[in-house]
Amino acid sequence: MAGIALEIVTVISMNSPASLFQGIIFDIRLIVINAATLFCGPITGVTTAIIAAAFRLYVGGIGGDVNPIRFYHWSGISLCH
């Protein structure tokens, strides 16, 4: 149940990012992926990363094809801790 909530929070954070400066966008998706992995386990962390990567591919834009690789990288780093 917590995994589904974290996946929803990830998608919501990707839909409503904060703009720090012109062209600099910040959201908390990597923080949510790390929290899902650390507190709910590796299966939840990987599924959250997959949902975030799929949504990022759906949104597209600059870096849309490279950013999903970072999600798997961050969930792997969280597994090591």
Side-chain angles (χ1 to χ4, degrees), residues 2-12 32 43-44 46-49 51:
I4 295 171
L6 289 169
E7 291 165 1
I8 291 170
V9 168
T10 302
V11 171
I12 289 172
V32 177
I43 294 173
T44 304
V46 169
T47 56
T48 304
I51 295 294

Side-chain angles (χ1 to χ4, degrees), residues 33-34 37 46 49 70-81:
I33 292 171
N34 286 338
T37 306
V46 169
R70 290 186 342 167
F71 300 141
Y72 302 125
H73 179 253
W74 281 104
S75 68
I77 288 174
S78 295
L79 287 173
C80 293
H81 287 91

Side-chain angles (χ1 to χ4, degrees), residues 49-75:
I50 289 170
I51 295 294
F55 188 72
R56 181 64 177 110
L57 286 172
Y58 173 74
V59 169
I62 297 174
D65 54 346
V66 178
N67 278 335
I69 297 169
R70 290 186 342 167
F71 300 141
Y72 302 125
H73 179 253
W74 281 104
S75 68

Side-chain angles (χ1 to χ4, degrees), residues 12-21 23-31:
I12 289 172
S13 75
M14 292 172 74
N15 273 333
S16 56
S19 180
L20 299 176
F21 300 106
I24 306 294
I25 299 171
F26 176 74
D27 61 27
I28 61 168
R29 63 182 167 218
L30 294 178
I31 297 170

